[in-house]
Amino acid sequence: MVLSVAIIAALVGWLWSGFEILRFRDRRTGRAGGRLADATDHPRGGRRRHCEPACRNRNDAGHPVRARCGGRTHLRARRSRHSPDTPCSCAGGVRTAGLDRAGNRHPAPAPAYIPPAVEIERTPPRPNILEIAFAAARNWLLGGNTIVRVGLVVLFIGLSFLARYAAASGILPIEVRLSFVAAFGIVLLVVGFRTRERRPGFGLALQGGGIATIYLTLFAAARLYDTVPMAAAFVLMIMVCALGCALALLQRSQALAVTSFLGGFAVPLLLSDGGGSISGVFAYYTVLNLAILFIAQRQTWRGLNLTGFFATFGFATLWQATGYAATDFWPTQIFLIASVLIYVATAILFARSTPAKLGGMVDTTLLFGPAIAGFGLQVALVHDRAFGSAFAALGFAALYLGITTVTMRKDPERLRVMNETMLAIGIGFVTLAVPLALDARWTSAAWALEGAGAFWVGMRQARWMPRMFGLALQLIAAILYLGGLHDNVAALPIANPGFVGAMIVALAALITAWWMRRPMPAADSRIGRTYWQVEAGLAAPAFLFGFVFWVLAFAAEAYRSSPQAYAGRMPTAVFSDGTQALLTMLAYIASAWLGQHVARRTGWSVARWPSFTSVAALAIGVLATIGSSTHVLSSPAWAIWIAAVALHLHLTYRNDRDGKEPWQTAALHLAHIGGVWVGTLLLADCLWVAVDRLHLWQSAWAMVSFLASLVAILAILTGWAGRAIGKGGRWPLDTHATDYAWYSAVPLAVLSFADAFLVAVFSSGNAAPLPYVPLINPVDLSIGLAIFTLALWRRTVTTADPAPRGVAVLHGPGSLGGLAGLAFVAINTVWLRAAHHLAGVAWDGDAMFDSVLVQTGLAILWTLIALTMMVIAHRRAQRTIWVIGAALLGLTVAKLILIDLNAANGGARIVAFIAVGILMLVVGYLAPLPPRQTETTGDDTGGIAI
């Protein structure tokens, strides 16, 4: 059994060393994997050799010449039996010049054009691990001296049979058998060493087998048969490992070194009995790793480096999962740090010693492996400690970034790829450390700064990938902040995660936008050029992104809540609801003012953009004020509004004076127009404050307050801006008179008309605490002022020169008809409110309809209105107005017959009919039908022929 195990181990050693020799020889001879290096894949799927030089020519001097043959170039060598005039045997049959039968030389005919053959390259499928292993065994067995290797295999099989026979017969004791096996391993080692120069492959195979045999013999003697003490076996195995390393360095054999170190790393596992201290094992493994590091300074043996790495971290992972205790923390910590440092240093040595296209070749396993495996083991060690995982990530980040800093200064070109890889690993650990230690808002802040730093590195190095990574990281940071956005509960102003997190995200985005204001260098790759085209359009969005988070930071501070001193109590808001919205509004407008100032100083045009939207902030602020318990005149709202309006006016003035793009011009028009609407709401809110302070919400004063603000602003616009249309004036009327007198006034006029109608119909005219007086009460006065202001505004804009666009709609009879209708409703409701207050008629539709007094009064009122219209129409010869009055008179008569005749009592009916009749006689006498006219010389209502 012992000999069988030893023979198998020896065969493994031979295979490894033989495979290395074969690979070394193949690199020198151009053979790889038993296949000719000059063999290529045929387009049809088969194998095809390069064309043999069957077509050979010589020039006059006898030197080889090149000829085109089937689309390929061949070097035609000298052949003694190839005549100069022998035609070429390639496809196409190109003939050379020769002699005819008469001995006369004639020129060769022009060869026909043969298109070059198109060769399609196909990448062969990569072999799997079984195919690789089979190929390695085949190459070892069939490469070199095959007879010798087969003979060794047969000899070892025979020896194993002999050892088994001796063990079964009990001929020799176990000590003698083990000594025989050890001696056989020593003989293999000595013979292999003596033949290292004459037969290097043969000698390395014997040495590998001898070392493996001695290893397993010592293991069997100490572990299976207990014939050698454990301590002695441990020392002997270390000596064998050292001997194997020395022989490997002497003969430059990676396979022999791997075999020796495999045995060395297996010693603690083979000889362990489960007892003892782990510190000794860690010290032993550290010595082996230092030996690998020593070899790495002289040889670029990647296989040996990977053997040590996987053995070390594999053992550490296995032991930590099965045998780790809290008392082993510091030995494990020291061993882990030492192992990570050793193999990172090994990766650096490998990169410095192995040239590649872009500098030193990077062993990604040794660069990423210690980071991934080491960090995983470190987290398992410190996961139960406060911020342990975060400090572990920071430690790995400091290691990789520190090494990158040193190597970038000493050898930047040769280690370029390695530096970039280690920089990426270090940045990754910094990124990972933040969420392990902080909440979402602090994490977003750190990632935003990291993203800005990555973009700066990409900008300085003219590389697109770090810039793209930086932008993506900032976007992720913003999403993370918004995802963790909730009530900002903090005792300290400004210095709290809500404000600081958003502000850092904003500053990172703003500084990135500042860097992006100038085009970055384009990349060479197709993906890089595509990203460059996208990046060129991200400067403005990046600034707006940062500006939004800038304002969001101040909003988080405005909505901050203060924690209570006693547990269990809810936090209290620092500012009231309305004040919170107003502070956010002021922060936005002040930030826009700051951006405009920066734009004027630096020429950064995108910084002006928020200043064109300040009116939107004012609108949101006034709506928030109206929707909350705060009013414009309350404290500190009045101070905030003064500052906000002043900044808004200054922004608008500066934007009007500076150069503008087309969309900015449109935005300025909206700023002036929207400012009027905001002012109307502010005035209405001031009136509502007065109503609230005087407790007049149940009176007519509350209903007419909004109408009064509409009428007041419309009257101001009419008298101030309406007369300036086409005439100019000081700012803002020099360029925006039409915006104020027409575009901003149209919605106010429509609202005034609608509100006046609603107030007239639904308001009872309760003027408390003042007594009700017909015509001199808030309802009648406000409606009358509304009708007068609407008529004045219409006249002003229709007579303006030049006329605003769209004003023609007011020239038709519809606008005057609407005003006349509103006036008719207002006059009727004056009588209704008088009947309600003076005669005690209930303010109800049914009660008004059933009241004889109301109906009689309406009949007389309608007749008076008709009389007035017809008399005026007769004097002005306006037939249309006279017809309208006559129609109203006819409606009155119909009302008398259909309603008053049945509903009124005797006295009321008599009064109604007599009064209407007398008035109709007066109409017939004073205002007969005017003559027909086809042209109008007076009013702008137009003469309509009837």
Side-chain angles (χ1 to χ4, degrees):
M1 172 182 173
V2 176
L3 281 178
S4 300
V5 174
I7 291 171
I8 293 173
L11 289 176
V12 172
W14 289 343
L15 283 172
W16 186 281
S17 59
F19 179 58
E20 182 197 56
I21 294 298
L22 181 62
R23 288 193 302 164
F24 175 73
R25 185 177 61 81
D26 286 343
R27 284 196 296 267
R28 294 186 303 172
T29 61
R31 299 175 62 88
R35 303 171 76 173
L36 291 176
D38 60 348
T40 58
D41 291 333
H42 195 275
R44 295 183 178 178
R47 302 291 297 174
R48 178 179 56 79
R49 310 279 184 184
H50 283 299
C51 294
E52 295 292 337
C55 305
R56 309 174 185 272
N57 279 339
R58 293 179 300 172
N59 56 14
D60 296 337
H63 299 294
V65 298
R66 293 185 179 271
R68 295 291 299 174
C69 185
R72 297 181 301 274
T73 301
H74 299 282
L75 184 65
R76 294 182 176 176
R78 178 184 305 179
R79 295 184 63 180
S80 60
R81 65 178 180 274
H82 201 297
S83 175
D85 57 350
T86 302
C88 178
S89 61
C90 300
V94 179
R95 293 190 305 165
T96 61
L99 301 175
D100 58 8
R101 294 182 179 181
N104 299 323
R105 180 176 298 275
H106 59 82
Y113 172 74
I114 301 176
V118 178
E119 298 185 3
I120 302 176
E121 296 184 0
R122 292 187 178 180
T123 303
R126 299 182 64 181
N128 55 36
I129 189 171
L130 295 179
E131 294 175 349
I132 295 175
F134 178 76
R138 182 190 62 186
N139 294 334
W140 175 84
L141 184 62
L142 301 181
N145 196 335
T146 305
I147 298 176
V148 173
R149 297 186 179 185
V150 174
L152 286 174
V153 173
V154 174
L155 175 62
F156 269 81
I157 293 175
L159 290 175
S160 65
F161 288 156
L162 176 62
R164 179 172 294 183
Y165 174 77
S169 303
I171 298 176
L172 299 175
I174 187 61
E175 291 82 359
V176 176
R177 281 181 281 161
L178 291 175
S179 300
F180 173 76
V181 175
F184 181 75
I186 294 173
V187 169
L188 290 177
L189 190 62
V190 173
V191 173
F193 183 76
R194 292 176 63 86
T195 59
R196 70 186 185 279
E197 295 181 356
R198 298 191 307 272
R199 302 286 181 85
F202 181 77
L204 286 176
L206 293 184
Q207 292 177 64
I211 290 175
T213 301
I214 296 173
Y215 265 133
L216 292 182
T217 302
L218 292 174
F219 164 73
R223 190 69 176 167
L224 300 180
Y225 301 104
D226 200 18
T227 58
V228 177
M230 288 290 184
F234 189 84
V235 174
L236 290 174
M237 284 188 172
I238 294 177
M239 294 174 62
V240 173
C241 178
L243 176 63
C245 293
L247 293 175
L249 287 175
L250 179 64
Q251 303 170 78
R252 297 183 178 180
S253 173
Q254 180 180 189
L256 191 58
V258 170
T259 302
S260 302
F261 275 97
L262 277 176
F265 281 111
V267 166
L269 300 178
L270 297 176
L271 301 181
S272 175
D273 56 357
S277 173
I278 193 63
S279 301
V281 179
F282 286 159
Y284 170 71
Y285 269 70
T286 303
V287 171
L288 291 180
N289 290 329
L290 289 174
I292 292 176
L293 180 62
F294 175 78
I295 295 174
Q297 295 178 351
R298 291 160 175 79
Q299 300 292 337
T300 56
W301 289 345
R302 184 170 184 264
L304 177 62
N305 299 337
L306 296 180
T307 298
F309 168 75
F310 285 110
T312 300
F313 287 95
F315 168 76
T317 303
L318 178 64
W319 176 81
Q320 193 175 58
T322 57
Y324 174 75
T327 55
D328 299 324
F329 174 79
W330 284 112
T332 307
Q333 184 68 80
I334 295 173
F335 171 69
L336 182 59
I337 294 175
S339 301
V340 170
L341 292 176
I342 288 173
Y343 283 101
V344 171
T346 303
I348 298 173
L349 292 175
F350 182 83
R352 292 182 59 184
S353 305
T354 309
K357 182 178 179 180
L358 298 178
M361 181 178 293
V362 173
D363 190 340
T364 55
T365 303
L366 290 183
L367 277 183
F368 288 94
I372 297 174
F375 181 71
L377 293 172
Q378 184 64 42
V379 170
L381 285 177
V382 299
H383 70 280
D384 56 344
R385 300 170 183 257
F387 302 104
S389 300
F391 283 117
L394 288 177
F396 276 89
L399 171 65
Y400 278 85
L401 294 178
I403 293 175
T404 304
T405 303
V406 175
T407 54
M408 278 184 174
R409 293 179 178 177
K410 290 188 175 181
D411 201 352
E413 294 299 328
R414 185 168 58 172
L415 301 179
R416 175 184 174 184
V417 179
M418 188 200 74
N419 291 335
E420 293 174 354
T421 305
M422 299 189 74
L423 178 64
I425 296 174
I427 293 175
F429 275 115
V430 172
T431 306
L432 182 61
V434 178
L436 293 175
L438 306 175
D439 63 1
R441 290 173 293 185
W442 287 114
T443 300
S444 64
W447 283 5
L449 288 178
E450 185 179 348
F455 189 92
W456 178 80
V457 171
M459 180 184 66
R460 292 294 301 271
Q461 297 180 355
R463 301 179 59 214
W464 64 273
M465 290 190 66
R467 301 201 304 268
M468 183 180 68
F469 171 75
L471 294 177
L473 194 58
Q474 291 185 56
L475 181 61
I476 294 173
I479 295 174
L480 186 63
Y481 180 88
L482 295 176
L485 191 61
H486 49 78
D487 294 339
N488 185 22
V489 180
L492 295 176
I494 304 300
N496 55 78
F499 178 85
V500 174
M503 183 57 65
I504 292 180
V505 173
L507 292 175
L510 291 174
I511 194 171
T512 303
W514 173 260
W515 291 330
M516 295 172 66
R517 75 191 190 279
R518 297 174 181 172
M520 302 289 177
D524 296 332
S525 63
R526 181 173 60 86
I527 300 177
R529 288 192 297 270
T530 303
Y531 166 78
W532 178 79
Q533 294 175 355
V534 175
E535 185 187 61
L538 293 180
F543 172 81
L544 298 178
F545 175 82
F547 183 82
V548 169
F549 271 85
W550 174 282
V551 178
L552 185 60
F554 290 99
E557 181 61 30
Y559 284 85
R560 180 173 58 89
S561 298
S562 178
Q564 294 294 320
Y566 300 97
R569 294 188 178 182
M570 297 296 293
T572 57
V574 178
F575 304 102
S576 62
D577 295 340
T579 306
Q580 293 172 347
L582 293 181
L583 288 174
T584 304
M585 174 197 70
L586 181 61
Y588 183 93
I589 297 176
S591 301
W593 180 87
L594 180 62
Q596 186 192 64
H597 182 72
V598 171
R600 291 172 62 87
R601 288 293 186 91
T602 63
W604 194 16
S605 60
V606 69
R608 293 179 57 205
W609 290 10
S611 64
F612 292 94
T613 60
S614 58
V615 68
L618 291 176
I620 295 174
V622 73
L623 293 177
T625 300
I626 295 173
S628 64
S629 58
T630 305
H631 293 285
V632 176
L633 299 179
S634 61
S635 181
W638 63 269
I640 296 175
W641 274 110
I642 290 176
V645 171
L647 288 174
H648 165 71
L649 293 176
H650 187 266
L651 288 173
T652 309
Y653 174 77
R654 288 294 187 186
N655 287 330
D656 273 327
R657 293 295 179 261
D658 296 337
K660 299 177 288 295
E661 299 178 7
W663 72 268
Q664 295 174 349
T665 302
L668 278 176
H669 287 296
L670 290 177
H672 288 278
I673 295 170
V676 172
W677 300 341
V678 170
T680 304
L681 292 177
L682 291 176
L683 178 59
D685 186 76
C686 294
L687 297 178
W688 289 332
V689 171
V691 171
D692 184 70
R693 298 291 175 86
L694 298 175
H695 306 287
L696 300 177
W697 286 111
Q698 302 302 321
S699 66
W701 298 101
M703 293 194 66
V704 301
S705 56
F706 184 60
L707 177 60
S709 63
L710 291 171
V711 172
I713 298 298
L714 184 60
I716 293 174
L717 294 178
T718 302
W720 172 61
R723 298 177 180 179
I725 297 177
K727 301 177 182 179
R730 300 181 60 183
W731 183 86
L733 298 182
D734 53 351
T735 55
H736 297 281
T738 304
D739 291 334
Y740 286 101
W742 173 244
Y743 293 108
S744 62
V746 167
L748 299 183
V750 173
L751 289 176
S752 299
F753 183 92
D755 198 14
F757 177 82
L758 294 176
V759 170
V761 172
F762 293 101
S763 179
S764 64
N766 180 16
L770 299 178
Y772 175 81
V773 178
L775 299 179
I776 308 177
N777 59 77
V779 175
D780 296 339
L781 289 175
S782 60
I783 295 174
L785 289 174
I787 296 173
F788 174 79
T789 303
L790 287 171
L792 179 62
W793 170 75
R794 174 188 174 276
R795 183 181 182 86
T796 302
V797 295
T798 53
T799 57
D801 185 22
R805 187 174 59 180
V807 78
V809 69
L810 297 181
H811 286 282
S815 59
L816 274 180
L819 286 176
L822 179 60
F824 179 75
V825 172
I827 294 173
N828 281 272
T829 55
V830 168
W831 163 244
L832 296 179
R833 280 185 290 272
H836 169 65
H837 287 280
L838 302 179
V841 181
W843 186 255
D844 181 76
D846 294 337
M848 292 288 179
F849 186 82
D850 295 336
S851 173
V852 176
L853 177 63
V854 171
Q855 295 298 334
T856 302
L858 288 177
I860 297 173
L861 181 62
W862 288 4
T863 305
L864 289 174
I865 295 174
L867 172 62
T868 304
M869 293 178 62
M870 296 171 74
V871 170
I872 295 175
H874 175 74
R875 293 183 178 181
R876 295 185 179 183
Q878 293 176 340
R879 189 181 181 91
T880 301
I881 298 177
W882 190 94
V883 171
I884 294 174
L888 180 59
L889 190 60
L891 180 63
T892 305
V893 174
K895 175 182 175 299
L896 288 175
I897 296 173
L898 298 176
I899 298 176
D900 297 350
L901 183 62
N902 296 324
N905 53 26
R909 184 167 52 234
I910 293 171
V911 172
F913 274 82
I914 291 175
V916 172
I918 293 173
L919 291 175
M920 291 180 68
L921 292 176
V922 174
V923 169
Y925 176 78
L926 296 178
L929 180 64
R932 185 186 301 272
Q933 294 182 357
T934 57
E935 295 182 0
T936 300
T937 59
D939 195 86
D940 59 355
T941 57
I944 302 177
I946 298 179

